[in-house]
Amino acid sequence: MHKSERLFQLVNLLKGRRLAITAKQLAERLNVSERTIYRDIQHLQSSGVPIEGEAGIGYLIAQCDLPPMMFTVAELQSLLLGTRMAGAWTDPVLSEHASSAMAKIEAALPEHLKQQLDDFPYVAASFGHTEDHQRFSSTLREAVVQKRQVRLHYKDAKEAYSERDIEPLGLVYWGGKWTIIGHCLLRNDYREFRLDRVCDISLLTHPFELTKEKNLQHYIALVKAKYAEDTTQTTP
């Protein structure tokens, strides 16, 4: 890690902390010696960064407005991949906001970092994610935020059509396909619906409320527990 990058990381570790963090803890986080941390702290203090504390006690940054820190190359690549995935697999509104955010970041980058982003080898292909799927995603996102029921016109794996009113809790991307996670009013239980099998969707006026046993996190916890159980049973 270059010194400039380490200094940025150091400031980020100190920002917003309510309790002081010791030089030893900082050294372990940044994989450097405590002596290096002491030198970096002195350098930042002499540069005007309001770091409070002392050796043996710990350090934190006083309340102040600091400019945003520069991202590392790996962080920028992660952000770029995320914006590409949002553009390819979500709805036009999210895609536009993701691209706008990335454009603002790229505008402030030095040339050598821009070149590394241009050479980034990950591609998020949008094959199969049609305009209908984008529209459905947008409606579902609105329904999840507003906690409103939706009516799905759905075709299952056997080509059978059905109509379901659900309380949408979220969308999960398992890899390859988006899955709608909802509380089905007909079955009074969680149900999964593949987005690519939705024929049409309507946003209803009926609101719903989340409970301890009816929310996306609870559903994910049940899936994890079931997966762990199946794995244990199949392990020789």
mmCIF file of all heavy atoms in Angstrom, residues 141-172:
data_model
loop_
_atom_site.group_PDB
_atom_site.id
_atom_site.type_symbol
_atom_site.label_atom_id
_atom_site.label_comp_id
_atom_site.label_asym_id
_atom_site.label_seq_id
_atom_site.Cartn_x
_atom_site.Cartn_y
_atom_site.Cartn_z
ATOM 1 N N ARG A 141 -40.079 -2.519 -7.064
ATOM 2 C CA ARG A 141 -39.296 -1.668 -6.165
ATOM 3 C C ARG A 141 -40.200 -0.619 -5.514
ATOM 4 O O ARG A 141 -40.079 -0.348 -4.311
ATOM 5 C CB ARG A 141 -38.164 -0.997 -6.945
ATOM 6 C CG ARG A 141 -37.222 -0.176 -6.071
ATOM 7 C CD ARG A 141 -35.901 0.053 -6.793
ATOM 8 N NE ARG A 141 -36.078 0.747 -8.057
ATOM 9 C CZ ARG A 141 -36.165 2.073 -8.183
ATOM 10 N NH1 ARG A 141 -36.107 2.841 -7.103
ATOM 11 N NH2 ARG A 141 -36.300 2.632 -9.370
ATOM 12 N N GLU A 142 -41.092 -0.060 -6.292
ATOM 13 C CA GLU A 142 -42.042 0.914 -5.747
ATOM 14 C C GLU A 142 -42.941 0.268 -4.695
ATOM 15 O O GLU A 142 -43.205 0.847 -3.638
ATOM 16 C CB GLU A 142 -42.895 1.500 -6.877
ATOM 17 C CG GLU A 142 -43.884 2.557 -6.429
ATOM 18 C CD GLU A 142 -44.707 3.115 -7.586
ATOM 19 O OE1 GLU A 142 -44.440 2.734 -8.753
ATOM 20 O OE2 GLU A 142 -45.629 3.923 -7.317
ATOM 21 N N ALA A 143 -43.405 -0.940 -4.983
ATOM 22 C CA ALA A 143 -44.286 -1.637 -4.051
ATOM 23 C C ALA A 143 -43.578 -1.990 -2.754
ATOM 24 O O ALA A 143 -44.155 -1.871 -1.659
ATOM 25 C CB ALA A 143 -44.834 -2.901 -4.712
ATOM 26 N N VAL A 144 -42.315 -2.418 -2.843
ATOM 27 C CA VAL A 144 -41.552 -2.766 -1.639
ATOM 28 C C VAL A 144 -41.348 -1.531 -0.771
ATOM 29 O O VAL A 144 -41.507 -1.574 0.453
ATOM 30 C CB VAL A 144 -40.197 -3.399 -2.025
ATOM 31 C CG1 VAL A 144 -39.308 -3.533 -0.797
ATOM 32 C CG2 VAL A 144 -40.412 -4.762 -2.663
ATOM 33 N N VAL A 145 -40.990 -0.412 -1.411
ATOM 34 C CA VAL A 145 -40.744 0.831 -0.666
ATOM 35 C C VAL A 145 -42.027 1.334 -0.011
ATOM 36 O O VAL A 145 -42.031 1.731 1.160
ATOM 37 C CB VAL A 145 -40.153 1.906 -1.603
ATOM 38 C CG1 VAL A 145 -40.097 3.255 -0.890
ATOM 39 C CG2 VAL A 145 -38.759 1.513 -2.063
ATOM 40 N N GLN A 146 -43.130 1.296 -0.754
ATOM 41 C CA GLN A 146 -44.400 1.826 -0.250
ATOM 42 C C GLN A 146 -45.188 0.801 0.552
ATOM 43 O O GLN A 146 -46.222 1.133 1.132
ATOM 44 C CB GLN A 146 -45.260 2.318 -1.413
ATOM 45 C CG GLN A 146 -44.650 3.478 -2.188
ATOM 46 C CD GLN A 146 -45.548 3.974 -3.302
ATOM 47 O OE1 GLN A 146 -46.683 3.505 -3.459
ATOM 48 N NE2 GLN A 146 -45.063 4.913 -4.085
ATOM 49 N N LYS A 147 -44.701 -0.446 0.580
ATOM 50 C CA LYS A 147 -45.380 -1.542 1.274
ATOM 51 C C LYS A 147 -46.829 -1.675 0.782
ATOM 52 O O LYS A 147 -47.788 -1.599 1.550
ATOM 53 C CB LYS A 147 -45.318 -1.354 2.790
ATOM 54 C CG LYS A 147 -43.920 -1.451 3.360
ATOM 55 C CD LYS A 147 -43.924 -1.324 4.881
ATOM 56 C CE LYS A 147 -42.528 -1.502 5.432
ATOM 57 N NZ LYS A 147 -41.576 -0.505 4.920
ATOM 58 N N ARG A 148 -46.950 -1.905 -0.529
ATOM 59 C CA ARG A 148 -48.243 -2.092 -1.164
ATOM 60 C C ARG A 148 -48.281 -3.446 -1.875
ATOM 61 O O ARG A 148 -47.280 -3.911 -2.415
ATOM 62 C CB ARG A 148 -48.523 -0.971 -2.175
ATOM 63 C CG ARG A 148 -48.775 0.367 -1.529
ATOM 64 C CD ARG A 148 -48.761 1.487 -2.558
ATOM 65 N NE ARG A 148 -49.734 1.293 -3.625
ATOM 66 C CZ ARG A 148 -49.841 2.107 -4.674
ATOM 67 N NH1 ARG A 148 -49.021 3.145 -4.802
ATOM 68 N NH2 ARG A 148 -50.751 1.873 -5.604
ATOM 69 N N GLN A 149 -49.445 -4.070 -1.841
ATOM 70 C CA GLN A 149 -49.599 -5.363 -2.477
ATOM 71 C C GLN A 149 -49.525 -5.222 -4.002
ATOM 72 O O GLN A 149 -49.795 -4.150 -4.555
ATOM 73 C CB GLN A 149 -50.944 -5.985 -2.091
ATOM 74 C CG GLN A 149 -51.099 -6.293 -0.617
ATOM 75 C CD GLN A 149 -52.486 -6.805 -0.272
ATOM 76 O OE1 GLN A 149 -53.293 -7.099 -1.163
ATOM 77 N NE2 GLN A 149 -52.783 -6.914 1.022
ATOM 78 N N VAL A 150 -49.150 -6.324 -4.654
ATOM 79 C CA VAL A 150 -49.160 -6.358 -6.114
ATOM 80 C C VAL A 150 -49.895 -7.614 -6.575
ATOM 81 O O VAL A 150 -50.006 -8.600 -5.835
ATOM 82 C CB VAL A 150 -47.728 -6.358 -6.710
ATOM 83 C CG1 VAL A 150 -46.996 -5.080 -6.364
ATOM 84 C CG2 VAL A 150 -46.943 -7.588 -6.261
ATOM 85 N N ARG A 151 -50.398 -7.555 -7.800
ATOM 86 C CA ARG A 151 -51.045 -8.716 -8.413
ATOM 87 C C ARG A 151 -50.153 -9.212 -9.540
ATOM 88 O O ARG A 151 -49.834 -8.459 -10.464
ATOM 89 C CB ARG A 151 -52.414 -8.342 -8.945
ATOM 90 C CG ARG A 151 -53.162 -9.482 -9.638
ATOM 91 C CD ARG A 151 -54.634 -9.129 -9.774
ATOM 92 N NE ARG A 151 -55.247 -9.013 -8.454
ATOM 93 C CZ ARG A 151 -56.332 -8.256 -8.209
ATOM 94 N NH1 ARG A 151 -56.899 -7.558 -9.174
ATOM 95 N NH2 ARG A 151 -56.833 -8.207 -6.978
ATOM 96 N N LEU A 152 -49.750 -10.465 -9.437
ATOM 97 C CA LEU A 152 -48.887 -11.071 -10.448
ATOM 98 C C LEU A 152 -49.710 -11.942 -11.387
ATOM 99 O O LEU A 152 -50.543 -12.746 -10.943
ATOM 100 C CB LEU A 152 -47.814 -11.950 -9.791
ATOM 101 C CG LEU A 152 -46.795 -11.300 -8.868
ATOM 102 C CD1 LEU A 152 -45.829 -12.366 -8.352
ATOM 103 C CD2 LEU A 152 -46.039 -10.182 -9.554
ATOM 104 N N HIS A 153 -49.468 -11.799 -12.674
ATOM 105 C CA HIS A 153 -49.959 -12.746 -13.670
ATOM 106 C C HIS A 153 -48.740 -13.588 -14.029
ATOM 107 O O HIS A 153 -47.789 -13.098 -14.638
ATOM 108 C CB HIS A 153 -50.524 -12.010 -14.874
ATOM 109 C CG HIS A 153 -51.700 -11.131 -14.538
ATOM 110 N ND1 HIS A 153 -53.000 -11.570 -14.589
ATOM 111 C CD2 HIS A 153 -51.748 -9.848 -14.101
ATOM 112 C CE1 HIS A 153 -53.806 -10.604 -14.230
ATOM 113 N NE2 HIS A 153 -53.069 -9.540 -13.920
ATOM 114 N N TYR A 154 -48.809 -14.862 -13.661
ATOM 115 C CA TYR A 154 -47.590 -15.671 -13.601
ATOM 116 C C TYR A 154 -47.731 -16.955 -14.403
ATOM 117 O O TYR A 154 -48.810 -17.561 -14.479
ATOM 118 C CB TYR A 154 -47.305 -16.006 -12.129
ATOM 119 C CG TYR A 154 -45.947 -16.569 -11.846
ATOM 120 C CD1 TYR A 154 -44.809 -15.771 -11.902
ATOM 121 C CD2 TYR A 154 -45.791 -17.908 -11.503
ATOM 122 C CE1 TYR A 154 -43.552 -16.287 -11.628
ATOM 123 C CE2 TYR A 154 -44.542 -18.432 -11.224
ATOM 124 C CZ TYR A 154 -43.418 -17.619 -11.294
ATOM 125 O OH TYR A 154 -42.183 -18.130 -11.028
ATOM 126 N N LYS A 155 -46.621 -17.375 -15.003
ATOM 127 C CA LYS A 155 -46.548 -18.640 -15.728
ATOM 128 C C LYS A 155 -45.475 -19.499 -15.071
ATOM 129 O O LYS A 155 -44.310 -19.098 -15.023
ATOM 130 C CB LYS A 155 -46.206 -18.393 -17.191
ATOM 131 C CG LYS A 155 -46.086 -19.658 -18.035
ATOM 132 C CD LYS A 155 -45.793 -19.326 -19.491
ATOM 133 C CE LYS A 155 -44.437 -18.668 -19.643
ATOM 134 N NZ LYS A 155 -44.070 -18.447 -21.064
ATOM 135 N N ASP A 156 -45.848 -20.661 -14.565
ATOM 136 C CA ASP A 156 -44.880 -21.485 -13.853
ATOM 137 C C ASP A 156 -44.066 -22.352 -14.807
ATOM 138 O O ASP A 156 -44.184 -22.240 -16.036
ATOM 139 C CB ASP A 156 -45.563 -22.345 -12.782
ATOM 140 C CG ASP A 156 -46.519 -23.380 -13.363
ATOM 141 O OD1 ASP A 156 -46.423 -23.688 -14.573
ATOM 142 O OD2 ASP A 156 -47.375 -23.877 -12.614
ATOM 143 N N ALA A 157 -43.240 -23.228 -14.252
ATOM 144 C CA ALA A 157 -42.344 -24.053 -15.061
ATOM 145 C C ALA A 157 -43.094 -25.017 -15.972
ATOM 146 O O ALA A 157 -42.558 -25.474 -16.983
ATOM 147 C CB ALA A 157 -41.395 -24.832 -14.153
ATOM 148 N N LYS A 158 -44.350 -25.332 -15.637
ATOM 149 C CA LYS A 158 -45.162 -26.234 -16.448
ATOM 150 C C LYS A 158 -46.057 -25.474 -17.420
ATOM 151 O O LYS A 158 -47.002 -26.042 -17.970
ATOM 152 C CB LYS A 158 -46.009 -27.126 -15.538
ATOM 153 C CG LYS A 158 -45.189 -28.047 -14.635
ATOM 154 C CD LYS A 158 -46.094 -28.904 -13.765
ATOM 155 C CE LYS A 158 -45.269 -29.830 -12.870
ATOM 156 N NZ LYS A 158 -46.149 -30.669 -12.002
ATOM 157 N N GLU A 159 -45.782 -24.164 -17.599
ATOM 158 C CA GLU A 159 -46.541 -23.319 -18.519
ATOM 159 C C GLU A 159 -47.963 -23.068 -18.049
ATOM 160 O O GLU A 159 -48.827 -22.649 -18.832
ATOM 161 C CB GLU A 159 -46.568 -23.925 -19.928
ATOM 162 C CG GLU A 159 -45.195 -24.158 -20.543
ATOM 163 C CD GLU A 159 -44.503 -22.837 -20.897
ATOM 164 O OE1 GLU A 159 -45.166 -21.943 -21.419
ATOM 165 O OE2 GLU A 159 -43.283 -22.729 -20.644
ATOM 166 N N ALA A 160 -48.245 -23.319 -16.772
ATOM 167 C CA ALA A 160 -49.579 -23.065 -16.228
ATOM 168 C C ALA A 160 -49.662 -21.619 -15.752
ATOM 169 O O ALA A 160 -48.762 -21.129 -15.060
ATOM 170 C CB ALA A 160 -49.869 -24.018 -15.080
ATOM 171 N N TYR A 161 -50.766 -20.950 -16.103
ATOM 172 C CA TYR A 161 -50.947 -19.553 -15.736
ATOM 173 C C TYR A 161 -51.748 -19.445 -14.440
ATOM 174 O O TYR A 161 -52.651 -20.250 -14.173
ATOM 175 C CB TYR A 161 -51.678 -18.799 -16.845
ATOM 176 C CG TYR A 161 -50.822 -18.538 -18.067
ATOM 177 C CD1 TYR A 161 -50.727 -19.483 -19.085
ATOM 178 C CD2 TYR A 161 -50.117 -17.352 -18.202
ATOM 179 C CE1 TYR A 161 -49.950 -19.264 -20.200
ATOM 180 C CE2 TYR A 161 -49.330 -17.119 -19.322
ATOM 181 C CZ TYR A 161 -49.258 -18.074 -20.313
ATOM 182 O OH TYR A 161 -48.487 -17.843 -21.417
ATOM 183 N N SER A 162 -51.405 -18.441 -13.648
ATOM 184 C CA SER A 162 -52.149 -18.187 -12.417
ATOM 185 C C SER A 162 -52.084 -16.698 -12.102
ATOM 186 O O SER A 162 -51.283 -15.955 -12.667
ATOM 187 C CB SER A 162 -51.591 -19.003 -11.250
ATOM 188 O OG SER A 162 -50.255 -18.617 -10.969
ATOM 189 N N GLU A 163 -52.940 -16.294 -11.191
ATOM 190 C CA GLU A 163 -52.968 -14.904 -10.741
ATOM 191 C C GLU A 163 -52.817 -14.899 -9.231
ATOM 192 O O GLU A 163 -53.558 -15.579 -8.523
ATOM 193 C CB GLU A 163 -54.285 -14.248 -11.160
ATOM 194 C CG GLU A 163 -54.386 -12.773 -10.839
ATOM 195 C CD GLU A 163 -55.694 -12.182 -11.320
ATOM 196 O OE1 GLU A 163 -55.855 -12.057 -12.557
ATOM 197 O OE2 GLU A 163 -56.559 -11.867 -10.469
ATOM 198 N N ARG A 164 -51.827 -14.183 -8.728
ATOM 199 C CA ARG A 164 -51.547 -14.172 -7.297
ATOM 200 C C ARG A 164 -51.453 -12.737 -6.781
ATOM 201 O O ARG A 164 -50.813 -11.894 -7.407
ATOM 202 C CB ARG A 164 -50.209 -14.874 -6.998
ATOM 203 C CG ARG A 164 -50.175 -16.351 -7.325
ATOM 204 C CD ARG A 164 -50.981 -17.189 -6.339
ATOM 205 N NE ARG A 164 -50.786 -18.595 -6.601
ATOM 206 C CZ ARG A 164 -49.862 -19.347 -6.009
ATOM 207 N NH1 ARG A 164 -49.053 -18.795 -5.116
ATOM 208 N NH2 ARG A 164 -49.741 -20.620 -6.306
ATOM 209 N N ASP A 165 -52.082 -12.486 -5.639
ATOM 210 C CA ASP A 165 -51.881 -11.230 -4.924
ATOM 211 C C ASP A 165 -50.855 -11.499 -3.828
ATOM 212 O O ASP A 165 -51.034 -12.416 -3.006
ATOM 213 C CB ASP A 165 -53.183 -10.741 -4.292
ATOM 214 C CG ASP A 165 -54.167 -10.231 -5.334
ATOM 215 O OD1 ASP A 165 -53.798 -10.191 -6.524
ATOM 216 O OD2 ASP A 165 -55.298 -9.877 -4.966
ATOM 217 N N ILE A 166 -49.785 -10.723 -3.824
ATOM 218 C CA ILE A 166 -48.718 -10.937 -2.848
ATOM 219 C C ILE A 166 -48.323 -9.626 -2.195
ATOM 220 O O ILE A 166 -48.608 -8.533 -2.714
ATOM 221 C CB ILE A 166 -47.470 -11.575 -3.489
ATOM 222 C CG1 ILE A 166 -46.786 -10.586 -4.449
ATOM 223 C CG2 ILE A 166 -47.822 -12.872 -4.206
ATOM 224 C CD1 ILE A 166 -45.408 -11.025 -4.889
ATOM 225 N N GLU A 167 -47.686 -9.772 -1.062
ATOM 226 C CA GLU A 167 -47.038 -8.641 -0.389
ATOM 227 C C GLU A 167 -45.552 -8.757 -0.699
ATOM 228 O O GLU A 167 -44.865 -9.617 -0.140
ATOM 229 C CB GLU A 167 -47.312 -8.703 1.110
ATOM 230 C CG GLU A 167 -48.789 -8.586 1.440
ATOM 231 C CD GLU A 167 -49.113 -8.894 2.892
ATOM 232 O OE1 GLU A 167 -48.294 -9.582 3.549
ATOM 233 O OE2 GLU A 167 -50.166 -8.460 3.358
ATOM 234 N N PRO A 168 -45.040 -7.954 -1.615
ATOM 235 C CA PRO A 168 -43.641 -8.110 -2.040
ATOM 236 C C PRO A 168 -42.663 -7.643 -0.966
ATOM 237 O O PRO A 168 -42.771 -6.529 -0.454
ATOM 238 C CB PRO A 168 -43.555 -7.235 -3.292
ATOM 239 C CG PRO A 168 -44.583 -6.179 -3.076
ATOM 240 C CD PRO A 168 -45.696 -6.839 -2.318
ATOM 241 N N LEU A 169 -41.721 -8.495 -0.643
ATOM 242 C CA LEU A 169 -40.741 -8.195 0.401
ATOM 243 C C LEU A 169 -39.382 -7.817 -0.169
ATOM 244 O O LEU A 169 -38.582 -7.169 0.504
ATOM 245 C CB LEU A 169 -40.595 -9.400 1.338
ATOM 246 C CG LEU A 169 -41.906 -9.905 1.952
ATOM 247 C CD1 LEU A 169 -41.660 -11.157 2.770
ATOM 248 C CD2 LEU A 169 -42.560 -8.826 2.806
ATOM 249 N N GLY A 170 -39.099 -8.224 -1.405
ATOM 250 C CA GLY A 170 -37.819 -7.878 -2.013
ATOM 251 C C GLY A 170 -37.539 -8.749 -3.210
ATOM 252 O O GLY A 170 -38.290 -9.684 -3.526
ATOM 253 N N LEU A 171 -36.460 -8.409 -3.904
ATOM 254 C CA LEU A 171 -35.991 -9.209 -5.027
ATOM 255 C C LEU A 171 -34.603 -9.728 -4.696
ATOM 256 O O LEU A 171 -33.769 -8.993 -4.168
ATOM 257 C CB LEU A 171 -35.950 -8.392 -6.318
ATOM 258 C CG LEU A 171 -37.290 -8.065 -6.962
ATOM 259 C CD1 LEU A 171 -37.825 -6.751 -6.427
ATOM 260 C CD2 LEU A 171 -37.159 -7.997 -8.475
ATOM 261 N N VAL A 172 -34.375 -10.992 -5.001
ATOM 262 C CA VAL A 172 -33.091 -11.624 -4.714
ATOM 263 C C VAL A 172 -32.493 -12.120 -6.024
ATOM 264 O O VAL A 172 -33.184 -12.765 -6.824
ATOM 265 C CB VAL A 172 -33.248 -12.800 -3.734
ATOM 266 C CG1 VAL A 172 -31.917 -13.500 -3.524
ATOM 267 C CG2 VAL A 172 -33.804 -12.303 -2.402
#
